[in-house]
Amino acid sequence: MEFAELIKTPRVDGVVLHRPFLPTVEGTLCLTGHHLILSSRQDNTEELWLLHSNIDSIEKRFVGSLGSIIVKCKDLRVIQLDIPGMEECLNIASSIEALSTLDSVSLMYPFFYRPMFEVIEDGWNSFLPEDAFKDLESMTDEWRLSEVNKDFSVCPSYPPLVAVPKDIDDETLRKVATFRHGGRFPVLSYYHKKNGMVMMRAGQPLTGTNGRRCKEDEKLINATLRPGKRGYIIDTRTINVAQQAKARGGGIESEANYPQWRRIHKAIERSNVLQESLIKLVEACNDQSHNMDRWLSKLEASNWQTHVKEILTTACLAAQCIDREGASVLVHGTEGTDTTLQVTSLAQIILDPSCRTIRGFQGLVEREWLQAGHPFQQRCAQSAYSNSKPRQEAPVFLLFLDCVWQILRQFPCSFEFSESYLVLLFEHAYASQFGTFLGNSAAERAKLSLPEKTVSLWSWVNRHQEIERLTNPLFEANSLVIWPSVAPQSLLLWEDSQYIDVIYITIIIIIIILFTISKKYYYDINA
Amino acid sequence: MEFIRLPKVENVKLLDRVSPRRSRVGTLYLTATHTIFVENEAGVRNETWVLHSLVCSLEKQAATSSGYPLLIHCKNFQVLHFAIPREQECQDVHLSLQRLSQPESYEELYCFSYKPNVDDEERQNEWDFMNLKADYSRMGLPNAHWKLSPANRNYKVSDTYPADLFVPESATPPVIVGSSKFRSRGRFPTLSYYSKENHAAICRSSQPLSGFSARCLEDEQMLEAILRSNPCSDFMYVVDTRPKLNAIANRAAGKGYENEDNYSNIKFQFIGIENIHVMRNSQQKMLEVCELRSPSMSDFLEGLESSGWLKHIKAVLDAGIFITKAVAEEGVSVLVHCSDGWDRTAQVCSVACVLLDPYYRTLQGLMVLIEKDWISFGHKFSHRCNHLVGDPKEVSPVIDQFLECVWQLMEQFPCAFEFNERFLITIHSHIYSCQYGNFIGNNQRERIQVHQRTHSLWSYLWTNRTDYINPLYRPDHSQTQGLLRPSTAPYCFKFWRGLYNRFDQGIHPRQSVEDYLRTIQEETQQLEEQLASHKQVNFKLPLIMDPDSDEAVYSARGSNDQTLPFQPSSSARINLHFFFACGVFATHTLVSKCLL
């Protein structure tokens, strides 16, 4: 298919762009296969380059012959384009609509994008499971890297290599896979160096209504327990939801079959509830009535911050079991690809200082989200403004980033990165020139040959200029476990703040003073 | 001392509100001025001191296994939960504290027994530190349009007004007196803030005694004089900060609001800030939300909404913005009043001043502003803050709301204020503590005697100003200069946990950016000082940048074989590594980046 077929009017002059908090720009609007471009054709005015895939929905308005298109983006920006001429406006609108809703992955921009920067380190090779395993090997010999899923046949959403207890052979893993939702048998998520405790994650056990049992499953997870010690199973569903899952073949680990494990149920919401919540939150933020009661009741009704609180609470619980109780933990919900990953990745932010560095955080996103099979493409297909019927969209990853932001605000000196890094990841998860967040699993990414055909986001981020931009000037390595507060008074609404910029500038001023001091020395010496 | 029935109770438990496991056992002492809890824990001597004047309410609860609970709510939002072993002891402590925390006469207040180690002359100087006349001359007054009026020298015209007042040049004594007779409590229109640049002024008064149809020629002349003192404009705003219904209701009592037909060229405007009773109840509800034990997000947000607190804060700020726009953008003078002109009027005028004039965003400026619009203009601190036992209906957190408005602005403009949150909280605490003489009494006339025997908070704050400096303050920033234009979208208003949950350690950020920056700044200053002193001894130090390493290498060469002249202490958190890693060129890029 040619993109040109979809572009009826490739160029319109005299278009006026309105953006919140920025001056209006008048210029020429161009449509290409992947971008909407507005250029004023003057020096030093910013051009707008907007990926079609970033467009969540559009609205048309007409006043006389002047048409306006309101473009609502997945990154939550709203912009308005005033286009002279009814026909041009309609053409542009229908082109944008068609181009922003292309279904085929291989037509996405990452497959066409060629980097304008020198790739020093190929991000596709930066976080290989075998490298991560080498770190693990240096700490313990109780684990091995299994190739049982080499061809993605045992678990389609797992990567080819997974860490499992050393004494469990591949045959056992295959059997366990048939007992866990989506074949997601328990694998290692995190090893707590301080006390040797581990966190594992899995899909729900497929006990069904008959209380099916799988000895191999019991053997696998028991292999991670120290003699005489008990472990915790954190189920991210309420007990009721978990019980109901039995009717659909799912279920819970019964006390009888797992006597060494204590099961704790938490209530983290999933899928369409979260999507609804995001839509309501964004709507509340865009409410123009400026009425305080209305804002607070809408904010409350959106439940967004309730989700943040629940996720953080559960992550703290997991971290507490490992660090304070000295127990191993298994985390799962239903599929084990959403709430489970929120909990396991946040627990690592709390426990492991290396996850709070720029590179370590990439590793975490790579391990616990991309490799672990979070279906980014399904979850991020639409954002808060979309009019089309939601399918499997849910801001699961955005909520994770929000939770990280909450911890960052409570420990502003313990993270190597600033909040711009989180914003960047949010934007690229929804629309990007990079292939990192395409596909729903390692298997799909392999099938699409993403490493060969697209550029990795990490290749771009891990360059000196970008790192510098994303660095938190207040960072001071903190080797401790950081326990965030989850009281409602402690949780804030994540709004785009200029606060960090201000701090950054202050630090720079201090640097200038220091610089002047050293220069004075230098001149004194030479004089 | 005669009120203390029991000076000491042993084995008292201080319960932790959030986690009962963290409760502590110790001894409770009652002194003439403080309640002191001393922890028994071996080795540590943790003490909790609470001023009697900060105690807001006492509550005995039903006996539990750990004893007889006594709950103390403080005016600085501290909540202490004691469990006392015996019923009689609890009863005695309760009765003693009840009396001690509700003084019946000014003489009993803490400020008269607070004797820091300063002699009397110094004490006098403390009071001279604050000079309102200096602020008026800073505004350029007196000038051709405004003069200092002696009319209220003996508090004869209005006993709740200050002695020194600025009135329009053309306002004659008969006009002033006539106008004052037509205003509640004689509070005639007078100047609060004057803008040198465009001659627009903010004036304040109480409501007119207009009833349904009464007029007063002198009052009309007074407003005419205010209008004429701003040669650039042909009308002025009269802002009634009350909701319209309240103002109308006042007409039945012979009070009310200005009739546009009777005054020449005024534009009349209602703003709709609620009265002191609504505010008191609202804060009470909000505090109940703060005290909930492990609330859910919904409990908290619903509670916050139904308290209406943030709505009221927004209303005050909105009113301030209205006036600011009139003065700065339209160049039009404004007369602000409410009922008596000492609560909402004080809030709105002072918020407008903070928005208009960068001076009021400095440490000294905020103190001057509180002195001017609150203390001198007769905000009834002793009634509103319940300094003495009195009518509970007179109590209201009007000044809290002003401080919170300033805090909300600080959140939006982090580099526009010279002072930090701690400054606001310290002021808040001392407004209620009665430790200093500044806020004692309800107006200037009542306060004359107080100054001779007490200390001044302003001087204390100024002496300790390093504690209150905002490290992010940048007076040269474009956003900082001139008018502040805050957003009043509801989501810009935050819950001020730093004040209302101040004593709940667990919920605050565990690391403070501000402390971090302050440490760096202090140490930078030390470096500069060391540099200066080393220059004096003519000590030469070559600074060598090792090209193979990010880190700077210092080496002391020369005849004098001293150790390194400066080395960041281990506590010094200056990230020299980061600094030198940037390198000279990188630093330049950064500088140009931030200048752009």
Side-chain angles (χ1 to χ4, degrees):
Chain A
M1 189 200 67
E2 288 294 323
F3 292 119
E5 290 167 19
L6 299 172
I7 305 172
K8 293 175 197 154
T9 305
R11 225 188 92 159
V12 190
D13 289 320
V15 174
V16 179
L17 165 71
H18 304 269
R19 287 177 288 187
F21 310 115
L22 291 169
T24 56
V25 181
E26 191 183 332
T28 304
L29 179 75
C30 297
L31 289 187
T32 71
H34 292 107
H35 284 98
L36 179 157
I37 303 160
L38 188 116
S39 164
S40 67
R41 305 210 164 169
Q42 276 161 357
D43 293 342
N44 66 41
T45 33
E46 210 192 320
E47 292 183 335
L48 173 79
W49 283 71
L50 188 67
L51 269 176
H52 293 316
S53 58
N54 192 356
I55 295 171
D56 209 23
S57 75
I58 61 167
E59 280 169 32
K60 290 165 287 203
R61 275 182 209 161
F62 289 97
V63 181
S65 69
L66 180 77
S68 295
I69 301 179
I70 294 152
V71 179
K72 299 183 172 180
C73 303
K74 289 178 188 162
D75 61 16
L76 308 180
R77 264 184 305 172
V78 178
I79 61 171
Q80 183 180 329
L81 297 162
D82 296 343
I83 300 171
M86 177 96 74
E87 198 191 331
E88 282 83 353
C89 185
L90 286 170
N91 284 348
I92 295 281
S94 71
S95 302
I96 296 177
E97 225 153 337
L99 290 165
S100 61
T101 49
L102 292 178
D103 260 342
S104 165
V105 183
S106 55
L107 290 177
M108 300 296 253
Y109 186 51
F111 289 97
F112 299 81
Y113 170 75
R114 292 293 159 261
M116 301 288 281
F117 58 90
E118 191 194 346
V119 176
I120 298 162
E121 178 197 335
D122 185 356
W124 289 114
N125 300 325
S126 296
F127 303 99
L128 299 174
E130 43 271 45
D131 294 340
F133 188 72
K134 270 182 208 135
D135 293 343
L136 181 67
E137 262 183 325
S138 69
M139 298 185 274
T140 171
D141 59 357
E142 292 164 0
W143 296 81
R144 70 180 184 95
L145 210 50
S146 164
E147 291 185 359
V148 69
N149 199 38
K150 197 167 53 188
D151 52 1
F152 305 109
S153 59
V154 176
C155 171
S157 62
Y158 268 171
L161 295 171
V162 286
V164 294
K166 196 174 164 189
D167 302 333
I168 304 296
D169 60 27
D170 284 357
E171 204 38 51
T172 313
L173 294 176
R174 282 196 190 91
K175 281 189 185 140
V176 177
T178 61
F179 181 68
R180 290 277 172 179
H181 193 116
R184 294 175 70 91
F185 54 87
V187 293
L188 180 75
S189 161
Y190 171 67
Y191 179 85
H192 196 43
K193 197 174 168 185
K194 193 168 127 192
N195 59 10
M197 292 301 136
V198 294
M199 179 160 58
M200 287 174 298
R201 49 179 161 75
Q204 66 175 337
L206 302 175
T207 58
T209 38
N210 308 332
R212 210 180 124 210
R213 165 170 197 185
C214 173
K215 292 261 188 191
E216 289 80 3
D217 187 72
E218 294 156 28
K219 185 180 158 202
L220 193 166
I221 69 168
N222 287 341
T224 65
L225 292 175
R226 295 280 149 86
K229 282 282 222 174
R230 270 158 65 102
Y232 289 88
I233 293 172
I234 296 178
D235 193 325
T236 62
R237 307 163 293 180
T238 60
I239 179 78
N240 284 339
V241 174
Q243 296 284 11
Q244 284 158 17
K246 284 183 182 169
R248 292 186 299 276
I252 49 176
E253 293 86 353
S254 66
E255 284 84 359
N257 298 343
Y258 297 85
Q260 286 168 280
W261 294 82
R262 216 189 119 196
R263 210 177 58 244
I264 304 173
H265 288 275
K266 283 288 176 182
I268 304 183
E269 283 296 347
R270 53 209 68 234
S271 59
N272 50 353
V273 177
L274 300 183
Q275 187 69 8
E276 278 296 300
S277 172
L278 177 68
I279 291 168
K280 283 187 189 163
L281 174 74
V282 172
E283 197 215 310
C285 291
N286 291 334
D287 187 304
Q288 295 301 317
S289 71
H290 276 211
N291 177 310
M292 183 63 76
D293 287 350
R294 203 160 145 172
W295 155 250
L296 286 172
S297 76
K298 279 183 157 190
L299 177 65
E300 195 266 312
S302 83
N303 270 326
W304 183 264
Q305 288 180 295
T306 303
H307 303 318
V308 170
K309 183 168 154 58
E310 277 166 1
I311 296 166
L312 270 175
T313 308
T314 312
C316 286
L317 173 73
Q320 220 161 8
C321 292
I322 294 168
D323 188 70
R324 295 272 169 92
E325 305 276 320
S328 286
V329 172
L330 169 67
V331 184
H332 70 74
T334 307
E335 294 93 344
T337 53
D338 294 286
T339 54
T340 306
L341 306 183
Q342 287 172 330
V343 173
T344 56
S345 53
L346 282 168
Q348 291 180 54
I349 295 271
I350 293 167
L351 293 171
D352 185 0
S354 68
C355 292
R356 299 173 219 142
T357 65
I358 293 183
R359 215 185 156 83
F361 193 70
Q362 281 168 29
L364 184 74
V365 170
E366 187 72 38
R367 277 195 325 271
E368 291 299 306
W369 291 88
L370 292 161
Q371 306 274 354
H374 176 65
F376 275 99
Q377 196 159 314
Q378 290 174 356
R379 297 288 181 260
C380 302
Q382 292 172 13
S383 175
Y385 297 119
S386 178
N387 306 317
S388 41
K389 199 167 161 256
R391 287 161 298 182
Q392 307 202 36
E393 291 77 8
V396 178
F397 186 63
L398 175 59
L399 270 166
F400 158 70
L401 294 176
D402 192 329
C403 291
V404 176
W405 181 82
Q406 304 289 350
I407 307 178
L408 191 146
R409 285 305 290 261
Q410 293 186 27
F411 295 88
C413 307
S414 297
F415 287 80
E416 192 192 14
F417 50 86
S418 67
E419 88 178 74
S420 354
Y421 191 37
L422 303 174
V423 175
L424 177 122
L425 290 176
F426 160 61
E427 290 170 349
H428 284 278
Y430 278 84
S432 175
Q433 65 269 45
F434 303 107
T436 301
F437 291 107
L438 288 183
N440 291 309
S441 62
E444 284 192 30
R445 274 186 289 274
K447 209 168 141 199
L448 289 166
S449 314
L450 290 180
E452 295 79 35
K453 293 185 178 166
T454 71
V455 182
S456 161
L457 173 64
W458 314 135
S459 305
W460 184 66
V461 168
N462 288 331
R463 292 172 310 135
H464 180 66
Q465 307 90 298
E466 275 313 300
I467 299 254
E468 192 175 273
R469 193 177 72 82
L470 301 172
T471 299
N472 170 13
L474 304 175
F475 176 57
E476 197 179 48
N478 174 1
S479 61
L480 301 174
V481 175
I482 55 177
W483 299 107
S485 160
V486 294
Q489 290 100 316
S490 309
L491 302 178
L492 306 165
L493 185 70
W494 184 10
E495 34 158 0
D496 195 17
S497 82
Q498 43 165 327
Y499 190 57
I500 293 297
D501 291 345
V502 173
I503 294 165
Y504 190 54
I505 290 167
T506 310
I507 295 265
I508 288 168
I509 290 170
I510 293 164
I511 290 167
I512 297 168
I513 297 169
L514 281 172
F515 176 66
T516 327
I517 295 176
S518 62
K519 207 163 72 179
K520 272 189 207 155
Y521 268 120
Y522 187 71
Y523 286 134
D524 283 359
I525 295 149
N526 288 341
Chain B
M1 294 302 278
E2 67 269 31
F3 307 129
I4 302 172
R5 291 161 173 247
L6 190 66
K8 180 179 170 188
V9 191
E10 307 223 33
N11 289 320
V12 173
K13 260 195 203 136
L14 178 56
L15 306 170
D16 190 293
R17 204 167 56 81
V18 185
S19 54
R21 273 184 303 170
R22 258 184 274 162
S23 299
R24 295 167 284 169
V25 180
T27 309
L28 190 70
Y29 297 91
L30 294 187
T31 74
T33 54
H34 290 83
T35 302
I36 306 164
F37 176 79
V38 183
E39 221 177 300
N40 282 351
E41 211 61 41
V44 283
R45 202 179 149 79
N46 259 334
E47 293 180 5
T48 309
W49 288 58
V50 179
L51 258 178
H52 296 324
S53 43
L54 277 175
V55 173
C56 174
S57 70
L58 297 153
E59 192 188 325
K60 275 197 302 179
Q61 292 180 328
T64 66
S65 56
S66 49
Y68 293 84
L70 181 65
L71 200 59
I72 305 178
H73 279 91
C74 298
K75 294 172 184 173
N76 59 356
F77 311 119
Q78 184 168 21
V79 183
L80 292 160
H81 198 158
F82 289 114
I84 298 169
R86 271 175 289 277
E87 191 172 8
Q88 187 56 43
E89 291 169 335
C90 182
Q91 176 75 0
D92 286 344
V93 170
H94 183 240
L95 288 174
S96 312
L97 273 176
Q98 207 157 40
R99 181 58 189 83
L100 290 163
S101 64
Q102 296 185 337
E104 284 163 4
S105 73
Y106 283 120
E107 286 305 308
E108 293 175 34
L109 291 179
Y110 181 47
C111 56
F112 296 108
S113 55
Y114 172 63
K115 299 274 178 257
N117 195 12
V118 274
D119 64 36
D120 207 52
E121 195 189 331
E122 255 179 88
R123 201 190 54 74
Q124 264 311 315
N125 292 342
E126 285 181 14
W127 287 106
D128 297 337
F129 168 74
M130 178 56 68
N131 181 358
L132 278 189
K133 277 208 179 116
D135 189 46
Y136 286 111
S137 37
R138 192 189 61 83
M139 295 182 209
L141 301 179
N143 64 7
H145 306 295
W146 293 90
K147 65 181 180 192
L148 185 63
S149 160
N152 203 38
R153 273 288 141 80
N154 301 311
Y155 308 106
K156 286 275 164 56
V157 180
S158 169
D159 58 353
T160 60
Y161 259 181
D164 293 332
L165 288 163
F166 280 86
V167 294
E169 183 58 41
S170 59
T172 59
V175 167
I176 295 174
V177 174
S179 166
S180 81
K181 294 208 167 112
F182 189 62
R183 296 271 169 182
S184 281
R185 302 295 301 261
R187 293 168 70 91
F188 58 89
T190 177
L191 183 106
S192 164
Y193 177 76
Y194 174 75
S195 163
K196 266 200 293 228
E197 287 82 29
N198 59 10
H199 306 294
I202 302 175
C203 297
R204 54 184 289 173
S205 70
S206 59
Q207 64 187 335
L209 304 175
S210 52
F212 290 100
S213 59
R215 295 181 60 163
C216 168
L217 186 63
E218 289 90 343
D219 195 61
E220 289 160 26
Q221 286 171 340
M222 189 69 174
L223 263 67
E224 177 74 24
I226 292 172
L227 172 60
R228 263 185 285 130
S229 67
N230 180 0
C232 319
S233 82
D234 47 14
F235 75 96
M236 67 181 280
Y237 287 108
V238 174
V239 171
D240 189 327
T241 56
R242 298 169 292 183
K244 191 172 179 181
L245 271 180
N246 301 20
I248 290 173
N250 262 298
R251 291 209 298 201
K255 299 163 187 175
Y257 53 93
E258 290 81 356
N259 183 338
E260 273 187 358
D261 299 337
N262 298 344
Y263 293 82
S264 50
N265 303 316
I266 66 163
K267 281 191 186 170
F268 186 85
Q269 178 87 33
F270 285 112
I271 290 264
I273 302 175
E274 296 291 345
N275 65 25
I276 57 166
H277 312 295
V278 174
M279 300 307 190
R280 177 179 58 243
N281 294 334
S282 170
Q283 191 188 47
Q284 194 48 48
K285 277 191 188 164
M286 179 195 57
L287 292 173
E288 281 163 18
V289 176
C290 297
E291 281 178 43
L292 288 176
R293 214 170 282 182
S294 53
S296 73
M297 205 73 216
S298 297
D299 295 339
F300 180 73
L301 288 174
E302 267 170 20
L304 194 59
E305 183 200 337
S306 73
S307 80
W309 183 256
L310 287 176
K311 180 172 69 185
H312 300 314
I313 298 291
K314 178 168 151 57
V316 175
L317 196 57
D318 279 333
I321 291 171
F322 176 85
I323 290 162
T324 310
K325 284 192 173 148
V327 170
E329 289 174 1
E330 299 179 61
V332 173
S333 295
V334 186
L335 170 66
V336 184
H337 69 72
C338 45
S339 299
D340 290 311
W342 51 46
D343 293 312
R344 287 169 274 203
T345 303
Q347 286 179 329
V348 170
C349 289
S350 52
V351 166
C353 283
V354 170
L355 292 168
L356 277 169
D357 193 334
Y359 173 68
Y360 295 119
R361 306 194 283 260
T362 64
L363 260 141
Q364 200 183 25
L366 189 77
M367 298 194 276
V368 166
L369 186 62
I370 294 174
E371 183 74 28
K372 173 170 75 77
D373 271 319
W374 293 83
I375 297 177
S376 88
F377 273 109
H379 174 68
K380 304 202 292 173
F381 278 104
S382 276
H383 284 165
R384 296 291 178 257
C385 306
N386 207 10
H387 288 159
L388 301 178
V389 59
D391 183 359
K393 287 212 166 67
E394 281 285 319
V395 180
S396 188
V398 181
I399 183 84
D400 297 18
Q401 292 182 315
F402 165 66
L403 294 173
E404 177 164 342
C405 283
V406 176
W407 177 81
Q408 299 282 358
L409 291 170
M410 286 162 70
E411 286 288 295
Q412 281 198 39
F413 302 95
C415 48
F417 290 83
E418 189 192 18
F419 48 82
N420 57 15
E421 183 186 26
R422 196 172 303 163
F423 188 60
L424 298 181
I425 293 175
T426 309
I427 293 176
H428 178 272
S429 179
H430 283 302
I431 285 172
Y432 290 90
S433 75
C434 298
Q435 184 167 343
Y436 295 93
N438 307 61
F439 308 102
I440 307 304
N442 292 310
N443 51 56
Q444 200 176 65
R445 195 177 55 92
E446 285 184 19
R447 217 168 275 131
I448 300 170
Q449 308 288 321
V450 175
H451 287 196
Q452 292 161 13
R453 292 168 50 209
T454 61
H455 294 266
S456 167
L457 173 67
W458 304 139
S459 154
Y460 165 81
L461 292 174
W462 187 249
T463 315
N464 295 286
R465 59 186 174 278
T466 45
D467 293 347
Y468 306 119
I469 296 285
N470 168 19
L472 298 176
Y473 179 52
R474 290 185 63 212
D476 52 340
H477 194 284
S478 62
Q479 256 189 359
T480 313
Q481 287 164 340
L483 194 62
L484 289 187
R485 295 169 200 277
S487 161
T488 57
Y491 61 78
C492 296
F493 289 82
K494 297 173 187 163
F495 170 75
W496 191 5
R497 67 171 168 222
L499 181 64
Y500 305 114
N501 280 113
R502 182 180 155 200
F503 293 91
D504 293 317
Q505 288 304 332
I507 70 159
H508 298 289
R510 309 303 157 89
Q511 293 172 328
S512 152
V513 172
E514 200 190 303
D515 290 349
Y516 182 92
L517 289 177
R518 207 205 324 277
T519 318
I520 302 184
Q521 278 179 346
E522 276 166 15
E523 283 163 4
T524 310
Q525 206 177 345
Q526 276 176 19
L527 288 181
E528 281 180 305
E529 282 161 16
Q530 287 186 18
L531 170 69
S533 68
H534 278 285
K535 262 190 188 162
Q536 276 169 7
V537 297
N538 207 9
F539 175 76
K540 288 189 175 178
L541 175 92
L543 172 68
I544 299 168
M545 296 283 291
D546 185 348
D548 297 329
S549 149
D550 290 342
E551 272 172 284
V553 178
Y554 298 100
S555 79
R557 273 201 219 134
S559 55
N560 199 340
D561 201 10
Q562 278 184 5
T563 45
L564 302 182
F566 66 84
Q567 228 171 6
S569 61
S570 56
S571 73
R573 296 195 286 178
I574 302 170
N575 205 335
L576 278 174
H577 187 89
F578 172 56
F579 157 47
F580 286 109
C582 287
V584 177
F585 294 107
T587 313
H588 274 302
T589 346
L590 291 175
V591 174
S592 50
K593 210 193 272 176
C594 75
L595 292 179
L596 278 174

